Every structure is written in C-alpha cells, then in structure tokens.
Amino acid sequence: MSGLNAIAEIGADRRRGGYSRHVFDDAERHLREWFVEQAENRGLAVETDANTNIWAWWGEPGPGAVVTGSHLDSVPGGGAFDGPLGVVSALEAVDLLRERGFQPRTPLAVVVFAEEEGGRFGVPCLGSRLMTGTIHPDHARDLRDPDGGTLAEAMRSFGADPARIGRDETALARIGTFVELHVEQGKGLIDLERPVAVADSILGHGRWRFRFSGQGNHAGATLIDDRNDPMLPAAQLVLAARRTAAATPEGRATVGRLVPTPGGTNVIASTVDVHLDARAPSGARSMVDDLAGQAREFAAQEGCQVEVVEESFGDTVHFDPALRDRLRRVLNDVPVLPTGAGHDAGVLAAEKPTAMLFVRNPTGISHAPEEHATAEDCAEGSHALARVLADLAG
C-alpha cells in the first residue's frame, strides 16, 4: 500500500470526493513524474512513446517482451485503486522478483497507458487505441474536452507532438504478452471468498452522444404550448435507456453525463447532449439503434431534432485461452471471472496474447470513492503478478 499512499493526495477531488485525474492535467502530470521517478529508482529505463504512453524497461527493449501495467488517470470523482493498483503492483512485482534473485530471460516492461478512462476527451483506452490503430489519428487529434480544447492542443501544451500519434509498430513488435492487474469492478470475488482471479472476457461496450436540438428561450415568458424544449426528449431517453437495457440479456445502459446549453436555470435549453454508455455481450449497437429510433420519436413530439454520434465501440473480448489457463496453473487454479468493465488489455487482445488478474474489492463498488481493496489482498495480487511474470519471462 505504500505506493498508493505516496500518491494519495494527488488529484484528490474535494468537491466530488475520490479522485479526478485526467490526461495532461496537473494531477496526471504529477502522477507521471512519480512513476518515472519510481521506475528510475529501480534502475528501469524509461521512455515515453509518441502516443504518450510511458514504458519502464527491465532489460534491453526488444521483441517478445513480457509487459504489465495499467493506467494512472481516473473518472471524475473515481476511486483510489482503479488503474493505480495495477501500476503500483507491477513495480512491487519487480521488487519481489529482484529480492528472489530473478533475472528475466526476455525483456520485461511496466507500462502506463494514457487516458484509459476517457475522462477528459471522451474516448476510453485512448493510449492503447492509438497504439493499435483502432482510432484514426485525425479523429483523435480533434477530440475535445468539456472546455472545448482539442487533444492536439493539450498535447502541445504537454510538450508532445500530435502529428506523431497513431499506430506504433515498434511498440507492438516488442510486446510478446501483456498481463494487466486491476481491482475487481464487481462482486465476483466477494461471492467466491477469494482474493485474486483471472479474467475470462470483457463485455462489449461503447459510448454514444445524442444531441437534441430545440429552441432556446425564456423560462418565464414562453408558454408551455409554444416550447421546443430539448430537455424533454433528453429526459425521455434516459428512462428509455433503462427500459431497453433491462429487456436486453446482460444489457447495461447508463447516462452519466447530460449537458444542456446554455445551461441557465431560467433558460430553456437550445441543445442537450446526452452521453450514453451501453454494454451487452452481443448487440450493444442494436440496443443503441433501438434507442436512436425512440429518440427520434421523442424529439419529433417536442418539435426538436436529434443527432446520434458513436464516440467509441469495442466488441466483446475473450482473452487468450492458453495464456489464461497458464496463469491459472501458475496460481493454483484461481477463479475465472468475466468483467463488464473495459481495459487496455481488452484493446491489446486483438493484437497480442493478453490476460488480466483481478484483486478483490470488498465493497463491490468502482468508479466511486467507496472503491477499495485491503492491504492483504493487494499483497496477494502483487505476489500473484510476480509469480506470473517469473513464469512468462523466466
């Protein structure tokens, strides 16, 4: 826990609770500096790639490397463990292996991926998506944060060159296997009464923006019958998302962000953006297609229009079965669990053998301040990761 305690004040959100750490903001910069310092103190060679992912190498970088790590950014008001636990545990695993006199036969690296949560620019796993080429660089450069600034502008301010982002063949060629440790985002390990599990799959998921457009006007001077208020179809969509997800096997649909413009209490909005997160084993897009049809009906009833934009999407991921089974053997048949949460490991799974380890979260809560893991379970996770890395790199 010492690593987590060392960064406990960085990005603490006094208003929301928890942590708000977003790519290239002051908190995330401090976390990057902390990671670089920790890696260099261990004699690891540190480099930042063109997509601003950070790599810390034990051994000469080269093909067939065993890579582990996670991310340091957070959702707005997120917990202390989502992301940082995987980074801290990776550094801890390096320490444990060195204490045992282990010398990797293949290069071993710890990576910190950029903008995994999409908390600033809206696209999750942005660093790994750019590295694998699953998002076009031109689209990425024009992504905008809530203040209207582009990713390209933020990168320049950070000292990075946005012209260089995109698929990174050099980085991909170096990765032999990738293993990500993460706090569990659910209750599977609580129910099983076990501290550590191996991941089996990631639920297919995506993000969509519904923009309802109407007529901005005065809240007091405009009669109800004279209104074209986009907030009404927006509100109807929120309710429809819950109904549609409930009718879809294993479906989830969440509106976590709703943005009216101009946003005054005494102003009828001119536009309302509804940001939808939708997930399902198969058919997340069909679920959203259904909602888009309903949204058009809701908008027409109020004399408004609606535009639907897909911001990101990923199919259901099944992790490499041979690697998954190998990890289970190394860890004495720990449980296997699916997850409804997205991860950089899921993005890399289309390119490389990837796997995940989960550490028990006794609250079952994530993306919120109540997210937790005990010191004992964190230690179990670090030791499990060290055993896995020794098996893969030995």
Side-chain angles (χ1 to χ4, degrees):
M1 299 291 284
S2 61
L4 292 172
N5 291 337
I7 60 175
E9 294 302 314
I10 300 175
D13 193 320
R14 308 303 180 193
R15 180 174 67 88
R16 298 184 180 97
Y19 295 88
S20 294
R21 301 157 163 169
H22 308 310
V23 70
F24 307 139
D25 70 6
D26 288 342
E28 201 254 6
R29 287 175 188 241
H30 288 314
L31 290 171
R32 285 172 175 265
E33 292 167 359
W34 168 84
F35 174 75
V36 170
E37 180 182 25
Q38 292 297 310
E40 291 179 342
N41 286 345
R42 289 166 169 81
L44 305 181
V46 180
E47 61 184 24
T48 300
D49 66 26
N51 297 309
T52 70
N53 306 309
I54 312 173
W55 302 78
W57 288 91
W58 182 2
E60 187 70 24
V66 176
V67 182
T68 186
S70 193
H71 61 98
L72 292 170
D73 64 305
S74 76
V75 298
F81 295 82
D82 181 358
L85 179 62
V87 175
V88 169
S89 297
L91 295 172
E92 176 81 3
V94 169
D95 293 342
L96 290 168
L97 292 173
R98 282 182 165 162
E99 288 171 8
R100 300 167 190 169
F102 176 79
Q103 287 294 325
R105 294 184 180 179
T106 64
L108 195 153
V110 179
V111 63
V112 174
F113 283 109
E115 181 78 333
E116 193 270 354
E117 297 289 5
R120 181 172 181 183
F121 291 100
V123 175
C125 301
L126 184 58
S128 55
R129 286 179 189 271
L130 283 167
M131 185 178 75
T132 56
T134 53
I135 183 171
H136 195 282
D138 290 341
H139 176 55
R141 279 187 281 267
D142 197 44
L143 291 172
R144 295 180 181 272
D145 64 18
D147 295 325
T150 66
L151 175 68
E153 292 166 345
M155 290 187 71
R156 292 190 193 99
S157 176
F158 180 70
D161 184 359
R164 297 179 60 227
I165 65 174
R167 183 174 171 88
D168 189 336
E169 297 290 356
T170 299
L172 289 170
R174 290 173 172 176
I175 301 172
T177 55
F178 177 69
V179 179
E180 180 174 4
L181 180 145
H182 205 280
V183 68
E184 190 193 1
Q185 296 168 293
K187 299 181 178 180
L189 284 168
I190 298 174
D191 296 338
L192 294 170
E193 298 182 348
R194 300 286 293 275
V196 175
V198 174
D200 179 60
S201 60
I202 294 177
L203 195 64
H205 60 283
R207 298 184 185 185
W208 287 262
R209 187 192 73 225
F210 289 70
R211 172 165 290 174
F212 293 93
S213 301
Q215 177 59 59
N217 214 328
H218 194 289
T222 310
L223 298 175
I224 294 297
D225 288 345
D226 292 339
R227 299 185 180 202
N228 305 112
D229 184 353
M231 187 62 77
L232 271 69
Q236 289 175 291
L237 177 65
V238 175
L239 297 173
R242 168 63 72 88
R243 291 193 300 268
T244 301
T248 302
E250 291 297 310
R252 286 94 149 143
T254 306
V255 174
R257 184 170 168 233
L258 189 149
V259 184
T261 301
T265 303
N266 60 343
V267 180
I268 300 168
S270 56
T271 64
V272 178
D273 286 345
V274 179
H275 294 264
L276 175 75
D277 179 299
R279 307 177 189 230
S282 60
R285 276 195 173 121
S286 64
M287 188 165 64
V288 175
D289 288 342
D290 183 359
L291 285 170
Q294 295 183 62
R296 286 188 284 271
E297 293 178 8
F298 300 150
Q301 290 165 7
E302 185 64 17
C304 296
Q305 295 79 44
V306 63
E307 174 193 22
V308 184
V309 175
E310 182 178 288
E311 296 183 326
S312 65
F313 181 77
D315 281 320
T316 294
V317 172
H318 296 280
F319 288 111
D320 185 274
L323 181 59
R324 177 201 63 206
D325 293 344
R326 182 174 178 176
L327 265 60
R328 288 198 74 209
R329 288 194 297 272
V330 170
L331 301 177
N332 300 319
D333 291 329
V334 294
V336 177
L337 292 174
T339 180
H343 301 281
D344 292 304
V347 175
L348 287 178
E351 299 270 350
K352 301 288 179 176
T354 62
M356 290 192 71
L357 298 176
F358 292 136
V359 172
R360 177 168 49 193
N361 175 352
T363 67
I365 295 170
S366 188
H367 282 188
E370 293 82 3
E371 176 183 272
H372 187 60
T374 68
E376 293 78 13
D377 285 355
C378 289
E380 289 278 356
S382 294
H383 281 268
L385 181 60
R387 289 166 64 185
V388 165
L389 296 180
D391 181 73
L392 295 173

